Amino acid sequence: MSESHFYILCAVAAVILSGLAKGGFSGVGSLAMPVMALAIDPVRGAAILLPILIVQDAVGVWAFRRTWDGQVLKVMLPGMAAGVALGYLFAAQVSERAVLGAVGAISLAFGLHRLWIERGGVVALPSNAPGWTGTLFGVISGFTSQIAHAGAPPFQMWVLPKRLPRDIFVGTSAIAFAAMNWMKLPAYAALGQLSPANLLATAMLMPVALASTVAGVILVRKVDPARFYTLVYLLMVALGIKLLADALPV
C-alpha cells in the first residue's frame, strides 16, 4: 500500500470514528486522532479533523440548547482555555516526534482508564469538590483536547460525580466541547495548520463525517455496546503503544 493510500485509509477511518461518536458511541471519537497520527504529522491531522468536529458539535448544541448547567461551564471553561493555550505552546516548541509521543501517551492512558472503568473501577471524586478542582480538570481537558482531541476523560472525571440529569449532562458536554473546539481554531491557525491544503482535505472528508454520524445514530441501537467498547479501548492501548514506540529515538 502506498503512503498516499495509507493516509486516505487512516483519514477516512478517523472521520468515521468521530462520526460514530457524535452519533451515539460516546468515547469512540478519542480513537480518531491516534489513527490519524499513524499516517501524518499529528498536528496536521488534528487540524484537518477540527472543522469536522465543529460542524458535528453544532448539531449537539442545537439539540440540547435548553438543557445545560451554567455553573459547570463557568468553572471549567476558563481552565479549558488555559489548557488549549498550554497545548498550543507545547506543539509550537517541541518536535513532531514529541507531539507523536504525547498523542500516544494520551491514547494509552485513556484506553487503560476506560478498560479499568469497564471492569468496575471508579474515580472517587466528591460531588461537592471545590470549584478550583473543576478548573484544574478543565486545564487538563483543554491540553489533551488541543493535542489529541481527547478532552472528554478529565471533563467527565469532574462532572460525572455531580450526577446531573442525562439531558443536562449531554447538553453541558456539547456546549463545553463546542466552545473548546472554537478556542482551538486560533491555536491551529497560529501553528500554520489552517492551510488551503488542510481545509481541502477537511472538505473532502466532510460527507464521510456526516454519513457516519447518521450511521452512529442507527447502529447504536443494534450493536452490543459492551463488546464494541472493549474492542475500541483495546485498540486505543495498542495504538498508544505503537505511537510511543514510533516517537522513540531510532
Side-chain angles (χ1 to χ4, degrees):
M1 182 183 295
S2 70
E3 184 176 335
S4 61
H5 288 162
F6 183 61
Y7 158 67
I8 292 171
L9 178 64
C10 289
V12 170
V15 170
I16 289 174
L17 288 166
S18 174
L20 290 174
K22 298 297 184 180
F25 289 95
S26 178
V28 176
S30 294
L31 187 58
M33 195 53 234
V35 169
M36 198 76 154
L38 289 173
I40 62 171
D41 168 10
V43 177
R44 184 186 173 209
I48 290 171
L49 289 176
L50 181 57
I52 292 173
L53 296 176
I54 288 173
V55 170
Q56 292 171 328
D57 285 336
V59 178
V61 171
W62 176 259
F64 293 93
R65 64 191 182 279
R66 294 187 178 90
T67 54
W68 48 278
D69 188 298
Q71 184 60 32
V72 168
L73 297 176
K74 179 181 177 181
V75 168
M76 296 207 78
L77 285 178
M80 287 176 164
V84 168
L86 290 174
Y88 158 73
L89 291 173
F90 176 81
Q93 297 297 321
V94 304
S95 66
E96 176 185 329
R97 188 181 293 273
V99 177
L100 187 67
V103 173
I106 291 168
S107 176
L108 179 60
F110 179 85
L112 290 174
H113 174 255
R114 291 308 308 180
L115 286 171
W116 180 60
I117 295 235
E118 291 284 312
R119 282 154 180 75
V122 295
V123 178
L125 286 176
S127 60
N128 61 345
W132 67 266
T133 61
T135 303
L136 177 60
F137 276 96
V139 173
I140 300 169
S141 179
F143 180 85
T144 56
S145 185
Q146 172 68 22
I147 297 298
H149 295 321
F155 176 88
Q156 293 172 351
M157 286 170 68
W158 191 71
V159 176
L160 284 177
K162 297 184 177 301
R163 300 187 180 276
L164 299 174
R166 185 199 63 182
D167 286 358
I168 291 179
F169 172 76
V170 174
T172 304
S173 302
I175 293 172
F177 284 96
M180 186 160 58
N181 282 331
W182 277 101
M183 294 175 194
K184 293 188 293 191
L185 274 178
Y188 280 103
L191 291 169
Q193 292 297 333
L194 297 185
S195 64
N198 285 352
L199 292 175
L200 177 60
T202 297
M204 294 176 66
L205 290 167
M206 192 67 73
V208 178
L210 297 175
S212 58
T213 301
V214 175
V217 173
I218 297 171
L219 290 174
V220 75
R221 297 176 175 86
K222 299 181 180 180
V223 176
D224 179 359
R227 292 184 179 181
F228 182 82
Y229 284 127
T230 298
L231 175 60
V232 166
Y233 301 140
L234 287 172
L235 284 173
M236 288 198 72
V237 170
L239 282 175
I241 294 171
K242 171 69 167 58
L243 295 176
L244 281 171
D246 289 347
L248 293 174
V250 178

